[in-house]
C-alpha cells in the first residue's frame, strides 16, 4: 500500500543529543534520518513494490519526493533536508490528505508515518489548539470550510514515530494528543517510542520494530492436490470485521491457499471482491544453499532469487509455462515454481482457480495483465461466507455436472452450464453511475477530465467521454453551476499549454469550453463531440 513518510522539519528537531560515541554534534533530526534509512533498507529488501513518498513539514508542508519505488531517491533527498519554523501538524495532515486524494483512488488503502520529536507545537497552530477547535465544531455540528483534515478521505492508517526518550516531559503531554489523532482518523494506527534513552541504536530498533510489524512479507502455502509451493501476497491481506443486525463476522486469512476447483472466466464473470493481492513465488532455503555452494557468494544467490521472481512475471503468460519453469530450474540452481505453472495454465485456458483462504472464506486466483507483454498471478478475496457469489449458489456444493447423472437439471452434457449464472439482461443497479457523496468524489472526476485534457490530442476520445459523463451527471443532479466551472477550468488549461503543445489541443479545449457554455450543454439527450480539424491529416 502507498506510504507517506511525514518528517517534522521544525526547529525543535534540531535540538542536540548527547551521544558519547560521536565527537560532532548530533541532532534529533539526524537520528530521525538514520531511522528512516533503516526503514528504507528493510523496504528495499522485503517490499520492493511499495510506493513511498517523502513530505517535510513545519508551519507549511512540501512534498520533496513523489511516490516512487526507488528508495535511493528518498535517501539522497534526506541528506538535504533543511530546518524550518514552528510545528503545525494540522497543516501537514491537510497536505497529506490532498496528496493521497490526488494520486490514489478514494478506495485505495494507504498509510502515513508521522516522524516528530514529541513536541506538539505551541500557540495557534499547535496540535492541542487544533483539537480544541475540532471538538468545538463537533459539539456544534458545524461543517464549516477549513475543518479538521481527519479522518482522511481514503482508508489511511496513521502511525506516529517519536524521536524522544520515554522520560521527556513534552512526550508525556503529546502522547494523548497523538492517540486522539489516531482515534479521530478511525482507520487504525499506533505510536512508537524508543525503548531506552535516545541513541542511534534505540532509534534504529524502533524503526526496525515498526518495519517488522507493518512491512514483513506475508508468506502462505499454495496447494492443489499434491502440488504446493510457498508464495508471498502483496499487499498483505487484512482481517475482515463486519457487524450485521444479528451477527458479527470476524474472519482471518489462514496459512494456506487451497485450490478447490477451476471455473471458466465467463461463469465467474465479475464478482464483488474485497481486495486484490499480487501472488509472488518464494524460493526455498535449500535452493539458496545450492546456489551458495556453487558460487560461495551471497550476493550472487540474492541475484538468482530476484531472477526467479522477474522470470515469473515475464514468462508466466507463455503457453509452455511448465517448460519455462523446468528451464529455469536447469539454470544456475533456479527452482521450478508451481505458481508459475498455475499462472500459465490459467492464462492459456481462460479459467480461474477457486481458492479457500480461511475458514468459510474463499477467493479466486487468475491471470491479470497490466500490459500486453507482462501478466501476473492475482488473488481476489470474496466476502466471507458460502454464498458470497449469488449466481454460483453455495460454493461448497459446486461440483462437475457429470457427477450428478440424470438427477442434474442440466442433463449429462458437459457443454451445458452446471450451475445458474447471471442473466444477460442488464439491471439498473448494474450500470455505471456517478455518485457524489463527498467532495473527494467530485474532485476525483474533475481531475480525471483534466488529466485527459493535458494529454490532448492523444487522449481525445477519453477526454470527451469523461466530459460528457460529468456533464450528464451535473444535469441529473441539477448542478448547473458545475458546467460553468468546468468551462472556466478548460479555458485556464488552454492558456497554460506549453509552446510545444499540439495545435489541436488548444482548439479542442476552446471548443469544449464554448460547448459547455452554450444552450446545447443543458440538453441531456445531446453529447459534445470533438471538433473536426485538419491537423491529424497533415501529420
Amino acid at each position: 500500500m502507498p506510504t507517506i513518510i511525514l518528517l517534522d522539519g521544525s526547529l525543535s528537531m534540531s535540538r542536540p543529543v548527547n551521544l558519547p560515541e560521536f565527537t560532532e554534534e548530533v541532532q534529533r533530526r539526524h537520528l530521525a534520518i538514520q531511522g528512516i534509512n533503516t526503514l528504507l533498507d528493510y523496504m528495499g529488501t522485503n517490499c520492493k513494490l511499495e510506493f513511498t513518498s517523502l513530505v517535510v513539514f513545519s508551519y507549511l508542508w512540501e512534498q520533496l519526493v513523489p511516490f516512487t519505488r526507488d528508495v535511493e531517491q528518498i535517501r539522497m533527498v534526506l541528506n538535504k533536508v533543511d530546518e524550518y519554523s514552528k510545528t503545525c501538524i494540522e497543516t501537514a495532515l491537510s497536505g497529506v490528505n490532498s496528496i493521497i486524494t490526488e494520486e490514489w483512488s478514494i478506495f485505495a488503502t494507504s498509510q502515513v508515518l508521522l516522524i516528530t520529536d514529541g513536541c506538539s507545537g505551541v500557540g495557534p497552530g499547535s496540535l492541542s489548539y487544533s483539537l480544541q477547535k475540532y471538538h468545538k465544531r463537533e459539539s456544534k455540528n458545524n461543517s464549516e470550510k477549513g475543518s479538521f483534515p481527519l479522518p482522511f478521505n481514503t482508508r489511511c492508517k496513521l502511525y506516529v514515530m517519536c524521536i524522544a526518550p520515554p522520560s521527556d516531559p513534552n512526550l508525556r503531554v503529546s502522547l494523548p494528543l497523538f492517540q486522539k489523532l489516531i482515534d479521530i482518523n478511525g482507520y487504525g494506527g499506533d505510536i512508537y517510542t524508543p525503548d531506552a534513552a535516545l541513541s542511534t541504536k534505540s532509534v534504529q530498533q524502533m524503526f526496525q520494530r515498526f518495519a517488522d510489524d507493518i512491512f514483513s512479507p506475508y508468506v502462505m502455502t499454495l496447494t492443489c492436490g499434491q502440488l504446493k509451493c510457498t508464495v508471498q501476497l502483496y499487499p498483505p491481506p487484512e482481517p475482515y470485521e463486519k457487524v450485521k443486525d444479528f451477527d458479527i463476522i470476524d474472519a482471518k486469512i489462514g496459512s494456506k491457499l487451497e485450490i478447490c476447483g477451476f471455473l471458466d472466466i465467463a461463469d465467474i464473470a465479475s464478482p464483488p471482491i474485497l481486495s486484490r493481492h499480487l501472488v509472488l513465488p518464494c524460493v526455498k532455503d535449500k535452493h539458496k544453499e545450492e546456489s551458495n555452494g556453487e558460487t560461495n557468494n551471497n550476493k550472487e544467490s540474492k541475484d538468482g532469487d530476484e531472477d526467479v521472481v522477474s522470470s515469473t512475471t515475464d514468462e508466466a503468460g507463455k503457453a509452455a509455462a511448465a517448460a519455462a519453469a523446468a528451464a529455469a530450474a536447469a539454470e544456475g540452481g533456479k527452482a521450478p515454481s508451481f505458481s508459475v505453472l498455475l499462472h500459465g495454465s490459467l492464462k492459456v485456458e481462460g479459467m480461474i482457480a477457486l481458492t479457500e483462504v480461511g475458514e468459510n472464506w474463499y477467493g479466486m486466483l487468475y491471470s491479470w495483465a497490466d500490459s500486453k507483454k507482462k501478466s501476473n498471478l492475482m488473488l481476489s478475496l470474496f466476502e466471507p461466507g458460502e454464498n458470497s457469489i449469488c449466481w454460483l449458489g453455495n460454493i461448497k456444493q459446486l461440483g462437475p455436472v457429470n457427477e450428478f447423472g440424470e438427477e442434474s437439471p442440466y442433463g449429462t452434457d458437459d457443454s451445458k452450464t452446471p450451475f445458474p449464472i447471471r442473466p444477460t439482461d442488464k439491471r439498473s443497479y448494474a450500470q455505471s453511475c456517478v455518485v457524489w457523496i463527498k467532495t473527494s468524489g467530485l474532485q476525483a472526476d474533475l481531475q480525471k477530465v483534466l488529466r485527459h485534457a493535458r494529454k490532448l490530442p492523444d487522449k481525445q476520445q477519453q477526454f470527451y467521454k469523461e466530459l460528457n459523463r460529468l456533464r450528464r451527471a451535473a444535469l441529473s443532479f441539477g448542478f448547473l453551476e458545475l458546467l460553468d466551472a468546468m468551462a472556466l477550468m478548460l479555458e485556464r488549461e488552454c492558456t497554460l499549454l506549453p509552446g510545444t503543445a499540439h495545435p489541436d489541443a488548444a482548439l479542442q479545449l476552446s471548443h469544449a469550453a464554448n460547448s459547455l457554455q452554450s444552450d446545447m450543454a443543458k440538453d441531456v439527450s445531446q453529447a459534445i463531440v470533438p471538433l473536426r480539424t485538419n491537423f491529424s491529416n497533415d501529420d
Side-chain angles (χ1 to χ4, degrees):
M1 62 184 71
T3 301
I4 293 182
I5 299 177
L6 187 60
L7 178 60
D8 188 356
S10 60
L11 293 175
S12 59
M13 288 286 288
S14 300
R15 288 180 292 171
V17 180
N18 295 324
L19 298 178
E21 61 268 23
F22 292 96
T23 57
E24 299 180 356
E25 180 183 270
V26 178
Q27 302 175 357
R28 297 198 180 196
R29 66 187 185 96
H30 296 152
L31 297 180
I33 292 175
Q34 291 180 0
I36 295 175
N37 286 326
T38 302
L39 176 63
L40 295 178
D41 291 338
Y42 189 95
M43 295 174 60
T45 304
N46 301 281
C47 302
K48 296 182 179 181
L49 300 178
E50 188 76 28
F51 282 98
T52 310
S53 176
L54 176 62
V55 178
V56 177
F57 76 96
S58 59
Y59 192 71
L60 301 175
W61 63 273
E62 180 182 5
Q63 187 181 21
L64 297 183
V65 180
F67 285 99
T68 179
R69 289 175 175 170
D70 186 6
V71 295
E72 295 299 328
Q73 183 179 355
I74 301 177
R75 207 187 305 271
M76 293 173 58
V77 177
L78 276 175
N79 299 325
K80 303 178 182 179
V81 175
D82 297 329
E83 300 176 3
Y84 299 94
S85 57
K86 59 181 294 186
T87 302
C88 184
I89 297 180
E90 180 182 359
T91 302
L93 295 178
S94 300
V96 168
N97 205 357
S98 62
I99 291 174
I100 297 177
T101 304
E102 181 179 356
E103 296 288 340
W104 301 94
S105 168
I106 59 176
F107 304 103
T109 303
S110 56
Q111 54 193 6
V112 174
L113 180 59
L114 172 60
I115 303 174
T116 181
D117 61 337
C119 293
S120 56
V122 293
S126 65
L127 185 55
S128 59
Y129 182 81
S130 300
L131 289 175
Q132 289 177 2
K133 292 194 303 180
Y134 168 78
H135 290 302
K136 288 181 180 179
R137 286 194 295 265
E138 288 295 313
S139 60
K140 297 179 182 180
N141 293 326
N142 188 0
S143 59
E144 60 184 9
K145 185 177 180 181
S147 59
F148 202 64
L150 295 181
F152 291 117
N153 295 332
T154 63
R155 291 181 53 87
C156 183
K157 298 181 179 180
L158 178 61
Y159 298 93
V160 182
M161 311 290 286
C162 299
I163 312 297
S167 59
D168 192 340
N170 292 325
L171 179 62
R172 296 177 181 178
V173 175
S174 300
L175 283 180
L177 302 178
F178 291 146
Q179 187 60 46
K180 286 183 180 180
L181 288 180
I182 298 175
D183 296 338
I184 293 174
N185 186 38
Y187 293 116
D190 203 353
I191 302 175
Y192 289 82
T193 58
D195 295 333
L198 272 185
S199 64
T200 303
K201 183 178 180 180
S202 63
V203 172
Q204 289 178 344
Q205 289 177 348
M206 178 181 66
F207 277 86
Q208 183 66 36
R209 189 169 68 251
F210 168 77
D212 293 336
D213 295 340
I214 306 302
F215 295 107
S216 58
Y218 198 94
V219 179
M220 302 184 69
T221 302
L222 175 62
T223 63
C224 180
Q226 300 296 325
L227 300 174
K228 63 179 181 179
C229 69
T230 305
V231 295
Q232 174 185 346
L233 299 186
Y234 179 85
E238 297 182 356
Y240 179 84
E241 297 180 0
K242 186 175 183 180
V243 179
K244 293 188 175 182
D245 294 337
F246 303 100
D247 191 14
I248 298 178
I249 301 178
D250 187 5
K252 296 182 179 179
I253 301 291
S255 59
K256 290 184 178 180
L257 295 175
E258 187 174 356
I259 296 179
C260 305
F262 300 89
L263 296 172
D264 292 333
I265 294 181
D267 293 333
I268 197 69
S270 299
I273 61 174
L274 297 176
S275 59
R276 295 194 309 170
H277 308 271
L278 184 64
V279 181
L280 299 173
C282 296
V283 180
K284 297 182 179 180
D285 294 337
K286 64 179 182 179
H287 295 294
K288 292 183 180 180
E289 295 174 358
E290 292 174 1
S291 180
N292 289 339
E294 292 178 0
T295 61
N296 293 323
N297 190 319
N298 293 330
K299 182 178 180 181
E300 292 185 7
S301 175
K302 180 180 178 181
D303 294 340
D305 298 342
E306 295 176 354
D307 291 341
V308 174
V309 176
S310 61
S311 63
T312 301
T313 57
D314 293 338
E315 302 295 334
K318 295 184 178 180
E331 297 180 1
K334 298 177 184 178
S337 176
F338 168 59
S339 62
V340 178
L341 174 63
L342 176 65
H343 181 196
S345 302
L346 294 178
K347 183 175 182 179
V348 172
E349 298 296 333
M351 305 182 74
I352 63 100
L354 188 64
T355 308
E356 185 175 8
V357 300
E359 184 179 358
N360 202 25
W361 196 355
Y362 298 89
M364 65 175 181
L365 290 166
Y366 58 96
S367 175
W368 178 80
D370 56 352
S371 64
K372 295 182 179 180
K373 295 183 179 180
K374 293 185 179 181
S375 59
N376 306 281
L377 183 62
M378 300 290 293
L379 171 67
S380 291
L381 297 179
F382 305 144
E383 187 173 345
E386 301 173 358
N387 298 287
S388 55
I389 305 177
C390 58
W391 58 87
L392 292 184
N394 193 323
I395 294 180
K396 291 187 176 181
Q397 297 180 1
L398 292 177
V401 66
N402 52 16
E403 291 186 0
F404 294 91
E406 297 180 356
E407 298 179 0
S408 173
Y410 305 100
T412 58
D413 188 2
D414 293 342
S415 63
K416 295 184 178 180
T417 306
F419 41 76
I421 61 174
R422 296 188 304 174
T424 57
D425 54 327
K426 296 182 179 180
R427 307 296 182 183
S428 60
Y429 53 80
Q431 305 302 310
S432 59
C433 57
V434 180
V435 179
W436 293 329
I437 300 178
K438 297 182 179 180
T439 56
S440 58
L442 175 59
Q443 182 181 3
D445 289 338
L446 289 173
Q447 290 173 345
K448 191 173 183 180
V449 175
L450 293 179
R451 283 198 300 268
H452 293 321
R454 292 164 185 164
K455 297 180 181 180
L456 287 173
D458 296 335
K459 296 291 184 178
Q460 176 175 296
Q461 182 178 359
Q462 294 86 342
F463 168 72
Y464 281 99
K465 177 182 178 181
E466 294 298 328
L467 183 66
N468 285 298
R469 173 175 170 270
L470 203 63
R471 182 182 64 88
R472 287 193 296 267
L475 294 176
S476 301
F477 296 143
F479 194 4
L480 302 181
E481 295 83 358
L482 182 60
L483 301 181
D484 296 331
M486 291 170 57
L488 293 176
M489 286 189 296
L490 295 180
E491 290 177 352
R492 179 177 178 273
E493 289 295 327
C494 184
T495 58
L496 295 178
L497 286 176
T500 57
H502 196 281
D504 199 19
L507 294 176
Q508 297 295 342
L509 289 176
S510 301
H511 168 68
N514 295 332
S515 300
L516 288 173
Q517 295 174 339
S518 64
D519 296 335
M520 182 273 296
K522 299 180 181 180
D523 188 357
V524 70
S525 62
Q526 298 188 31
I528 300 177
V529 296
L531 178 67
R532 293 186 178 183
T533 61
N534 296 326
F535 289 103
S536 58
N537 296 332
D538 295 341
D539 294 341

